[in-house]
Amino acid sequence: MRIRFDYVRLFLILLLCMIPVGLFGIPGLKILWFGALGIMLSEVMIKKYPIYTHYDNWNSFYLFLYLLMHVISTFINNGNWVYNATTLIVMVSMTLVISCEICSNPKRFLHCLEKVLILTLITEFVLYLADAGSYFMDFACMRLYYICWAIIYMLNHLNRKRNHFFYILSAAAAVITIIKPQIGSDGSANYEWTFYLIILILCMVSISLNHGNLWKILTGKRVFIVIIFLNLYFVMFQAFMKSKLFQFIIVDIMHKSGDISGRAGIWRKALSMVHPNILLGYGTSLAGISSTGDYWTEFVRIYGPHNQMLYILLSGGLITLMFYGWILYKVSSRLTKADGKYACIICAGILVSYLELLVTFRNMINCIPLFILLWIGYFLPIIQNETVVKKRRSWRI
């Protein structure tokens, strides 16, 4: 009975973490979300405080520093720093609880997380097709939730030779974006080629787990290097503009403009805005950027720079980006130490997540599935060795 209650409690915590951010426009809902999640996390932390001392929680500390820099930057730029402080408390508390759950009972945690994610995705698919609104702030936010679900599903069903449900749901997600594509401001259909590439990579990884050696290629540090390279190649130096191969893929295959639907111009403008506040940035929501009437300045200020790393650099400055990069580096180092197919699956999830975030950006609430994925990767050596699991009976309260 206790096990069932613990499962329900964990399910509710994770479900609250996946709250329908598309409904945050309703007055007071965001406050209720922070309140409900905060109360539940506080209860768990107080009850199980002695357990946290058994775990390596350095990554939660790095996350604290990353979020603290955003609070400081937003305060300096006269933005809503109180919201940042609240986010800091909730996110760090959540990662501590997740650390405890992953290490004490990884099988239960992964099984419960899979159920929450599939419920979230199916709800969004039904609402989107029925024109009944969006479970998320934007339907495109579904991609990170899909990635997290796909990775957790592969981890939970690693020993199965055929994962029919994985391929069915992946195909369904792709078909939905074709049946009902999001329309761009120019009136043309915005077919989600990045999302299709993500699905293709994850399907190839799934197949290779039992019918190939592709999974041996993906390691933590290789993925970390690829993420850095992609951001430098596309965003910083924009070398793809001179590459015939990439122009062929972008223009002839994807039928987009050679500057990736104007993103090259957005990135150039955003990079030019970095230098005046390179250390501390402009705060979250780019609160410190004044309205100038210039088209690209207004676009970046309202819609963001369409790249996760560039947004962090603008919102929190170089110091904040360094803390964020350190989190990714520590996770990649742990994944390199964790050998085998489990590490490959997590590496694939992180890689495709940053393929998505290369051409867009998501705020902290949208990125919760990504941070859960990162924390699973951080603790993967412990999960595989099960050194902590052996002790959990003596810790049970």
Side-chain angles (χ1 to χ4, degrees), residues 333-353:
S333 297
R334 290 293 187 95
L335 287 170
T336 299
K337 293 178 183 178
D339 196 16
K341 296 181 180 179
Y342 281 91
C344 168
I345 293 172
I346 301 294
C347 287
I350 294 174
L351 175 61
V352 296
S353 294

Side-chain angles (χ1 to χ4, degrees), residues 4 9 25-26 76 82 173 189 228 235 265 289-290 342 360 384:
R4 184 175 295 275
R9 174 187 57 78
I26 299 176
I76 292 173
V82 176
I228 294 175
V235 182
I289 299 179
S290 303
Y342 281 91
T360 185
Q384 286 186 314

Side-chain angles (χ1 to χ4, degrees), residues 52 54-61 94-104 106 109-110 330-335 337-338 342-343 346 371-389:
Y52 296 108
H54 293 274
Y55 304 136
D56 169 10
N57 287 309
W58 277 106
N59 229 30
S60 293
F61 177 68
M94 188 184 73
T95 56
L96 287 172
V97 171
I98 287 173
S99 301
C100 172
E101 296 293 342
I102 291 175
C103 294
S104 62
F109 176 82
L110 294 176
K330 294 300 292 184
V331 172
S332 67
S333 297
R334 290 293 187 95
L335 287 170
K337 293 178 183 178
Y342 281 91
I346 301 294
F371 277 93
I372 291 178
L373 196 60
L374 290 175
W375 258 244
I376 293 173
Y378 186 76
F379 287 107
L380 191 58
I382 298 177
I383 294 173
Q384 286 186 314
N385 295 330
E386 295 183 349
T387 55
V388 180
V389 178

Side-chain angles (χ1 to χ4, degrees), residues 16 19 24 28-42 82-91 364-365 368:
L16 276 172
I19 195 70
F24 274 10
L29 184 59
K30 189 178 293 187
I31 296 175
L32 289 175
W33 178 75
F34 273 121
L37 186 59
I39 290 172
M40 184 169 288
L41 293 176
S42 299
V82 176
Y83 172 73
N84 290 110
T86 308
T87 303
L88 183 153
I89 295 170
V90 170
M91 284 297 299
M364 182 61 73
I365 295 174
I368 286 176

